[in-house]
Amino acid sequence: MAPKAEIHEEQVLQAVILAQCEQDYGDPVTQDVPKVLAPLANTPLLEYSLEWLERCGVEEAIVYCRADTHLETIREHCRVAFMTRRGDTTPATTHPGGLRVNVVASEDCHSLGDAMRDLYAKSLLKGDFILLQGDTVTTLDLPALVTEHRESRAADRNAIMTCRKTTTATLLVSASTNKLLLHRRRGGRSTSSRLSVPTELLQGAGDILAYPAAYDPSVTICSEVVPSLFSDNFDYSTLDSLVRGVIEQEELLGYTIKCRVLEGGYAGRAASINSLIGVSGEVVGRQAYPLVPEVSQTSHRVRYHHDAFTHTYWDPSAKFPKGSMVTGVVVGAGTEVSPTAHLQNTTLGDHCTLGDGVVVRESVVMTGVCVKGASKLEQCWVGDNVVLGEGVVVAPGCVIGAGVTLGDRVVLAPGTRLSARPPLGDLGGDVIEPDPAVCGVGGVAYVVDQEEEEEEEEEDEEEEDGGGGGGGGGEMDESEESEEEIQMSDDEYNMNEFQHEVQESLSTALREGAAAENVVLEINASRHAYNVSMEDVLTSVVQGILKAGQERSTASKGAEGLWPAVKSSITAFQGVLRNYVKKNRDQILLLNAVESLVRSCPPFLPLAKGVLFELNQTHEILDDEVIVAWYRGGAAGATSPLPALRTALAKFVEWLEEEEEESEEEED
Amino acid sequence: MRQEAQAIVLAAGPGMRMTSLTSHTPKCLLPLGTLPMLCYPLHLLQQAGFSEVSVVVSEGQEQRVGKMVEQYGLKVDLDVAVVSTAHDPGTADSLRQIASKIKQRSVEEVVVISSDLVTDVALQDVLDQHRSRGADLTMLTSPTPSLQTTPPGPKSKTHLNSDIICTEAGSGRLVYAVAGGDYDECVTLQSSLLNCAAPLLLSASTQDAHLYVMKRWLFDYVLNKESPCADMGSLKAEILPHIVSCQFTDHSSNDKLGLSGAVEREEWDDLVKKYNSSVVPSRHHSLAHLQPPVCLTFHHPGLCVRANTLHTYWHLNRKINELFNQVYPNSEWQLRHPTAVIIERAQVSEDSVVGGGTMVCEKTNIASSVVGKHCRINPLVRLSSSVLGDHVTLASGCVIENSLILASVERKCVIKNCIVTDSNKIEEGKTYSGEVLEATQDFA
């Protein structure tokens, strides 16, 4: 932790902690506990940021949250936490030097922009302030950054923000002035995965440092202008949109944003449950030193024993096996763990009981949880007072809400979310009984509607893909849009575009009856444009021909007419195919292309035999031997990825073989 | 003695960016100081210990280039290859021309250098870095030179865009390079690059000096008829970006077009055994494929100028007096040649350069100029801030300022800011300013 800094300024240094504006952990977690109070190594998340702010000399923290069921919990928490922090019960306001916490709530706060507009209207912000998310765990040297911000403001009144980034955003920063030139969050539908740098910038700004994967801990030092900018433009809903707007309209508004890329320090955001577990692992691994689990962030007293070898922390009253079976674990007061249990990177709350042979990996277990023998939990969230029967298997990504009871030997599919409360829609009706198929005999649990959660799941995966590296380590935060994200590499992108174009060419040609040469010309042009290999061309052409037939059929007669349409498509394009199939190798590629098409498009399965027959017998593009070799060589055996195709082709191949033998015999 | 590295000087360039000069003299033989331009890279190689150098020249120049070594006291053996100019050859075509000769030699590295490079870099350092860091390709980079001089001839508006070079900050690893003029409003970085943690330094103020050190296998790959480089024409604009991007190609999706594919091909029946299903056939290659190339840059902050435009060429010529010892060290060649005859009553300023066999008559005044070999400066000539080629005669009484004269001026006249390549264009007593006086084709 940075030493307590003296920032001698007449103005009060303020911080805004956004407690609930960004996306939360989803049901049922949010029903049980507000996000900022979710435990990270048995300490509420909010405590980490408050502690950090106080240590950095911030005088007033505004905790901004939505006025909902959790508002009072947060308010109460802040009040009580502050008394313990001071070690007395006098109200915090009587200590002039300390951090004052002010909980502000609004009815309709849906975004950061709303929060800023509200704060602006209430004119609670007086000068430069620090803006951070409530799920941030960081040890960055804030005083140095504030000083830097003030210096740059002194030099240039229009420098309105200093963000620090220590992996989700792509940044372009001018090497000499630290000015932020381009900021793009990765992922999202609209942005491609490639980075285009306007050359104009290069000519104008000198050398540019590009940080392709800068981690953004969402800590921003803003000047008082920022809230007013949000008020002026209601399009700005997130910080990102503001940043984009300021950069785009630099000439108009005249504001600039400085960017500081830090090498050291720790910053992590527990934006989703997965990242919560990740950040938790890092805190337990002492990467966020001096924010360590054994010291209570509220009372500054040592609360846990600590084993430095295994990074294990435990309350003196906890009973659990110390040894190689238990690593990276935080065990709360009164918890009992069987000596044969296996724990790894897990946080156990107070008063939990874990039976014999229980395996828990990378999970968060809240208070009062009882897990009976031989259960397996992996990467999951287990709420307060959950009871799991014997032999329960919880797959990664599951969330078990508070009070859920599961019977023996229940197996949860990955990403299942269970709540002890029945779905809301049925409140007025009869009390519906828990489904035993879900929660086992004697269990109480309801599956929470998966729709929304699935999306989050995907985002989480994305995070993991892109993570790793980055100075501060930690998880990445998530993009605002919870849209389904498509990330493609260059090659994939080219390939997709190419396939699309080939498909287009073939469909048009089929409609208009264009000559083979012209189609080949068109395809070759696309091939050069997207730099695609001959193999991929062949694959795309074959699949394109079959699909063109399919398009035709759906346009006219529906499923019935599929085969005649595909057949006519093959006949129409046999010249095109001939152009691409020259060697035996190409025939194999052709066959593989058919196979992969069948795999992705099951309607083609019954057609596979016919397609091969046409190509083999009618057009003589495929040789008998090649088909047999292809079939015997790989489609054989239990490893065949597509047994259905195999059976579909079996007769045809057998017939081919017979015919071959016959012809050989004849030759003899 | 076996050489570890083979040097190739690409001297067949037609000098497209300075056509007003190269219509008269091939680019590599344009005078720079009192030496032909080609001498500078040759000397650089000689300094680094090369005893044999291959030079690729365009048709018709082999004789003159062959004689150069003797003429200018160089101690390297030249191996001159000729490339036909019929089809507008690119730098890569030049390489292919010489490929058969290189193939027979068992060298570890190939140094490819452009004939227009004037630099004071120690080539040995570049080679050392190349070897010690295990690079497959090392590119010499330098800050884009700032040019204060104004070249003669009409004011040209077309300003050539500078190269954009993207390196990994710290390691100097080359991750992206695009030649000036090959980009529009945007340069696009591959997605694979964006997954690296280190920041990337994008710079438009760094230039590719067109000196490359390549590992032998990479060189062979470039020349391989089956590699995708086979139909590329330019080393800098096409092949280099290709190699650089190969560094980051995902090898699991790498297909036959990739580096690995060119080296290794598989019989179709093997493919059948392994990939009867829809697995991409090329996936196998990632198991046996060659390491992706490692491209590094060697940044030379000192002097490094390519005389490939009129502007840089002019700049170098004007400054050659100061730079000569830097870029042409340890040589017996002198800028003020002892065989030059300078009549005592002629005034030749200290910062002027006079080539061998030149006669400077009395009552002349030469200031800040370069006078080539075997010139004759007749009496009463005033020459300032100008460059004269070889075998140029200036008629008595001429006044020449800030001009490039490659042909004799046989009539008395005043020439300012001009390029003269044809003596017939000069008329008695006229004043020329800001023109190009070159031979035009007579259509009559």
Side-chain angles (χ1 to χ4, degrees):
Chain A
M1 176 73 54
K4 184 157 177 164
E6 271 84 37
I7 298 172
H8 298 288
E9 289 285 332
E10 58 281 357
Q11 55 172 270
V12 176
L13 188 56
Q14 291 173 304
V16 175
I17 302 175
L18 296 168
Q20 260 172 339
C21 295
E22 278 200 29
Q23 107 280 359
D24 50 35
Y25 292 153
D27 289 338
V29 176
T30 37
Q31 292 171 7
D32 305 338
V33 58
K35 182 177 179 182
V36 283
L37 298 184
L40 190 134
N42 286 343
T43 300
L45 269 173
L46 187 60
E47 289 301 313
Y48 288 93
S49 28
L50 288 176
E51 172 73 10
W52 174 65
L53 290 171
E54 184 174 26
R55 294 283 179 148
C56 290
V58 175
E59 287 144 277
E60 186 185 359
I62 297 170
V63 177
Y64 195 90
C65 48
R66 219 176 1 234
D68 61 8
T69 47
H70 293 308
L71 175 61
E72 280 314 308
T73 330
I74 296 176
R75 198 162 265 165
E76 182 63 15
H77 176 87
C78 290
R79 200 178 61 82
V80 173
F82 252 80
M83 289 179 194
T84 23
R85 191 187 291 272
R86 301 274 163 270
D88 57 41
T89 48
T90 46
T93 40
T94 58
H95 293 257
L99 176 72
R100 267 175 293 134
V101 180
N102 190 358
V103 180
V104 177
S106 102
E107 292 290 336
D108 44 61
C109 163
H110 299 289
S111 69
L112 186 141
D114 293 339
M116 297 309 289
R117 282 185 275 274
D118 189 37
L119 287 171
Y120 182 69
K122 291 175 178 160
S123 57
L124 285 165
L125 297 166
K126 282 133 199 149
D128 291 347
F129 65 96
I130 297 133
L131 181 65
L132 70 155
Q133 297 287 342
D135 51 11
T136 307
V137 177
T138 175
T139 62
L140 299 176
D141 187 1
L142 187 61
L145 289 165
V146 172
T147 315
E148 193 180 300
H149 172 73
R150 289 190 169 151
E151 276 167 8
S152 70
R153 283 216 70 192
D156 175 6
R157 284 306 289 177
N158 293 327
I160 54 165
M161 284 204 275
T162 305
C163 346
R164 54 234 56 73
K165 316 277 175 178
T166 51
T167 310
T168 47
T170 303
L171 306 172
L172 289 181
V173 180
S174 167
S176 49
T177 59
N178 278 343
K179 192 177 129 184
L180 186 63
L181 301 171
L182 186 143
H183 176 276
R184 207 186 68 194
R185 203 162 283 282
R186 300 186 69 187
R189 200 181 283 281
S190 53
T191 53
S192 85
S193 57
R194 287 178 285 186
L195 173 64
S196 291
V197 182
T199 44
E200 197 190 346
L201 285 177
L202 274 165
Q203 312 295 357
D207 290 359
I208 289 177
L209 276 168
Y211 294 87
Y215 179 70
D216 181 1
S218 298
V219 179
T220 315
I221 301 173
C222 307
S223 70
E224 69 278 0
V225 183
V226 174
S228 69
L229 278 178
F230 272 108
S231 304
D232 290 347
N233 191 336
F234 282 87
D235 291 341
Y236 296 155
S237 60
T238 63
L239 204 56
D240 286 350
S241 61
L242 176 77
V243 167
R244 205 180 308 129
V246 167
I247 293 173
E248 275 170 9
Q249 301 176 27
E250 193 194 327
E251 279 161 29
L252 198 69
L253 298 168
Y255 295 120
T256 54
I257 296 170
K258 303 280 178 183
C259 183
R260 179 92 179 98
V261 178
L262 298 171
E263 307 269 301
Y266 175 84
R269 277 195 62 195
S272 67
I273 289 187
N274 267 3
S275 49
L276 175 75
I277 293 168
V279 173
S280 169
E282 282 157 4
V283 169
V284 166
R286 307 184 86 75
Q287 287 182 30
Y289 187 86
L291 296 174
V292 287
E294 76 261 32
V295 178
S296 163
Q297 306 304 340
T298 42
S299 63
H300 299 158
R301 289 199 189 94
V302 176
R303 53 173 180 166
Y304 290 149
H305 292 306
H306 170 223
D307 177 22
F309 279 92
T310 55
H311 287 312
T312 310
Y313 307 82
W314 67 94
D315 189 273
S317 63
K319 285 181 193 152
F320 80 105
K322 300 171 188 73
S324 60
M325 298 292 273
V326 175
T327 51
V329 175
V330 179
V331 186
T335 291
E336 286 185 32
V337 180
S338 145
T340 53
H342 193 139
L343 303 177
Q344 209 178 354
N345 302 335
T346 293
T347 304
L348 298 179
D350 298 345
H351 308 292
C352 296
T353 319
L354 269 62
D356 294 340
V358 168
V359 179
V360 186
R361 285 201 184 92
E362 287 161 15
S363 299
V364 175
V365 179
M366 307 270 283
T367 50
V369 174
C370 174
V371 183
K372 292 187 183 135
S375 291
K376 268 190 178 169
L377 290 85
E378 206 162 333
Q379 289 174 33
C380 59
W381 167 285
V382 183
D384 288 337
N385 303 320
V386 167
V387 178
L388 301 181
E390 290 206 11
V392 170
V393 178
V394 183
C398 289
V399 174
I400 304 173
V404 166
T405 304
L406 293 183
D408 293 351
R409 281 167 290 283
V410 170
V411 177
L412 292 184
T416 314
R417 285 172 180 253
L418 296 177
S419 170
R421 268 161 289 187
L424 284 172
D426 296 311
L427 273 179
D430 303 326
V431 177
I432 50 166
E433 290 298 315
D435 182 4
V438 174
C439 56
V441 180
V444 181
Y446 302 92
V447 176
V448 177
D449 195 10
Q450 290 280 310
E451 212 177 317
E452 201 185 327
E453 272 68 58
E454 264 171 26
E455 275 172 24
E456 196 179 323
E457 213 48 49
E458 274 163 34
E459 277 174 30
D460 289 352
E461 277 163 29
E462 196 109 325
E463 260 172 56
E464 281 165 356
D465 293 343
E475 297 295 306
M476 316 191 283
D477 60 343
E478 290 175 37
S479 63
E480 292 294 304
E481 301 91 337
S482 52
E483 285 180 275
E484 194 181 329
E485 287 168 10
I486 311 165
Q487 257 193 333
M488 286 186 289
S489 76
D490 268 10
D491 293 351
E492 274 174 79
Y493 174 79
N494 278 351
M495 193 58 207
N496 276 3
E497 287 287 300
F498 172 73
Q499 277 171 345
H500 187 75
E501 257 181 44
V502 168
Q503 185 67 56
E504 203 101 299
S505 313
L506 289 171
S507 302
T508 326
L510 189 63
R511 253 196 326 272
E512 292 161 7
E517 300 88 68
N518 296 342
V519 179
V520 170
L521 266 180
E522 233 172 272
I523 293 171
N524 282 350
S526 314
R527 174 184 148 198
H528 285 293
Y530 292 104
N531 194 16
V532 177
S533 73
M534 279 314 282
E535 281 91 81
D536 290 337
V537 173
L538 181 62
T539 310
S540 307
V541 167
V542 173
Q543 301 187 347
I545 289 173
L546 298 183
K547 280 186 186 157
Q550 186 190 28
E551 258 172 48
R552 258 308 209 21
S553 77
T554 42
S556 54
K557 285 172 250 163
E560 293 281 297
L562 185 55
W563 168 237
V566 169
K567 191 175 165 182
S568 70
S569 173
I570 293 174
T571 318
F573 292 118
Q574 55 140 318
V576 179
L577 266 182
R578 242 178 254 289
N579 183 67
Y580 290 106
V581 180
K582 300 225 166 80
K583 293 172 284 187
N584 285 348
R585 251 188 95 240
D586 300 332
Q587 299 186 23
I588 296 293
L589 285 166
L590 194 156
L591 288 164
N592 288 347
V594 173
E595 183 184 338
S596 75
L597 179 69
V598 169
R599 185 198 293 253
S600 59
C601 270
F604 283 106
L605 182 62
L607 267 59
K609 197 172 104 183
V611 169
L612 294 196
F613 183 85
E614 274 297 295
L615 292 172
N616 170 247
Q617 297 295 318
T618 317
H619 303 299
E620 295 182 338
I621 290 171
L622 293 176
D623 293 337
D624 299 355
E625 303 89 43
V626 177
I627 296 180
V628 173
W630 172 75
Y631 182 82
R632 294 278 169 235
T639 51
S640 170
L642 212 58
L645 178 67
R646 205 180 136 62
T647 31
L649 292 179
K651 278 236 170 83
F652 176 59
V653 173
E654 268 165 39
W655 175 76
L656 273 180
E657 277 176 318
E658 272 168 33
E659 196 184 307
E660 211 173 319
E661 275 163 29
E662 270 169 35
S663 64
E664 270 169 28
E665 275 164 27
E666 274 167 35
E667 277 167 28
D668 294 341
Chain B
M1 196 189 79
R2 199 177 75 90
Q3 280 194 321
E4 286 179 326
Q6 171 70 44
I8 302 172
V9 181
L10 301 175
M16 293 304 289
R17 297 182 189 91
M18 41 205 287
T19 42
S20 51
L21 306 182
T22 48
S23 56
H24 172 80
T25 320
K27 188 173 97 169
C28 64
L29 296 175
L30 281 173
L32 196 51
T34 56
L35 292 163
M37 200 187 278
L38 181 58
C39 284
Y40 292 87
L42 289 179
H43 188 76
L44 182 75
L45 292 165
Q46 181 185 317
Q47 286 290 303
F50 284 90
S51 55
E52 270 181 58
V53 174
S54 296
V55 182
V56 189
V57 297
S58 50
E59 242 170 0
Q61 305 308 322
E62 58 269 32
Q63 298 264 318
R64 285 173 75 179
V65 171
K67 276 190 282 181
M68 237 174 61
V69 173
E70 240 182 292
Q71 210 177 342
Y72 298 100
L74 291 165
K75 297 180 190 66
V76 290
D77 288 337
L78 282 196
D79 181 1
V80 183
V82 178
V83 61
S84 153
T85 47
H87 304 291
D88 190 16
T91 40
D93 300 313
S94 292
L95 281 184
R96 273 172 220 125
Q97 200 66 35
I98 208 165
S100 53
K101 291 184 179 179
I102 304 293
K103 282 234 167 84
Q104 296 151 11
R105 298 181 196 152
S106 59
V107 291
E108 312 259 318
E109 280 120 9
V110 180
V111 179
V112 180
I113 179 169
S114 172
S115 68
D116 53 22
L117 180 65
V118 177
T119 175
D120 60 350
V121 73
L123 188 56
Q124 194 58 53
D125 292 350
V126 184
L127 284 165
D128 285 349
Q129 186 205 286
H130 179 80
R131 288 168 186 155
S132 67
R133 295 193 46 196
D136 296 299
L137 180 119
T138 299
M139 177 172 98
L140 179 68
T141 59
S142 71
T144 312
S146 59
L147 310 168
Q148 293 97 12
T149 51
T150 337
K155 292 247 174 348
S156 55
K157 275 166 277 169
T158 49
H159 175 70
L160 208 70
N161 281 332
S162 44
D163 298 341
I164 290 181
I165 288 174
C166 183
T167 52
E168 201 177 63
S171 70
R173 184 167 179 169
L174 182 63
V175 296
Y176 183 76
V178 59
D182 278 2
Y183 54 85
D184 301 319
E185 288 107 41
C186 271
V187 290
T188 304
L189 298 179
Q190 279 183 350
S191 58
S192 43
L193 278 179
L194 304 183
N195 295 327
C196 70
L200 306 173
L201 183 65
L202 269 158
S203 178
S205 56
T206 305
Q207 66 164 354
D208 168 7
H210 214 297
L211 187 155
Y212 310 110
V213 185
M214 275 189 251
K215 276 260 172 63
R216 179 59 188 265
W217 74 266
L218 191 62
F219 188 72
D220 289 344
Y221 165 74
V222 168
L223 297 179
N224 191 319
K225 286 194 182 61
E226 293 188 1
S227 85
C229 300
D231 33 321
M232 295 183 185
S234 163
L235 185 61
K236 176 179 171 172
E238 294 173 80
I239 293 181
L240 185 82
H242 170 74
I243 294 174
V244 168
S245 66
C246 280
Q247 287 183 104
F248 303 98
T249 312
D250 180 8
H251 286 271
S252 62
S253 65
N254 198 357
D255 45 47
K256 284 286 187 293
L257 281 171
L259 280 173
S260 47
V263 178
E264 192 189 3
R265 273 174 191 263
E266 234 179 323
E267 288 301 302
W268 71 276
D269 48 347
D270 280 343
L271 280 171
V272 174
K273 274 183 204 142
K274 286 169 182 156
Y275 307 110
N276 67 297
S277 72
S278 47
V279 179
V280 198
S282 53
R283 189 164 295 174
H284 169 73
H285 289 281
S286 63
L287 302 172
H289 86 275
L290 290 159
Q291 288 294 312
V294 175
C295 302
L296 292 180
T297 55
F298 184 94
H299 191 73
H300 176 60
L303 178 75
C304 196
V305 184
R306 287 190 66 193
N308 59 347
T309 64
L310 182 63
H311 205 159
T312 49
Y313 172 72
W314 179 253
H315 174 82
L316 276 173
N317 248 322
R318 293 290 318 283
K319 302 279 172 195
I320 201 69
N321 180 54
E322 302 157 28
L323 305 176
F324 190 73
N325 287 330
Q326 243 174 301
V327 299
Y328 214 84
N330 311 322
S331 127
E332 291 156 16
W333 192 260
Q334 288 167 359
L335 281 180
R336 183 79 58 96
H337 206 267
T339 58
V341 181
I342 300 173
I343 306 289
E344 266 177 47
R345 285 162 62 201
Q347 285 181 4
V348 178
S349 71
E350 277 301 307
D351 57 353
S352 293
V353 171
V354 182
T358 287
M359 169 82 183
V360 181
C361 297
E362 71 276 4
K363 291 184 183 167
T364 52
N365 188 338
I366 300 178
S368 315
S369 296
V370 175
V371 179
K373 300 181 297 293
H374 306 290
C375 291
R376 189 182 165 83
I377 315 288
N378 283 317
L380 296 167
V381 166
R382 277 199 287 136
L383 185 66
S384 63
S385 312
S386 296
V387 175
L388 264 56
D390 297 343
H391 305 284
V392 170
T393 304
L394 295 184
S396 79
C398 283
V399 178
I400 295 171
E401 266 175 44
N402 200 50
S403 295
L404 178 61
I405 314 288
L406 297 175
S408 294
V409 178
E410 282 150 0
R411 300 176 186 92
K412 185 184 162 185
C413 60
V414 178
I415 299 176
K416 284 179 184 170
N417 298 325
C418 287
I419 299 170
V420 180
T421 56
D422 184 19
S423 33
N424 299 328
K425 287 278 165 179
I426 312 259
E427 286 170 36
E428 183 84 32
K430 268 191 103 171
T431 302
Y432 299 94
S433 176
E435 286 178 65
V436 179
L437 303 167
E438 59 183 341
T440 43
Q441 243 148 8
D442 208 350
F443 293 104

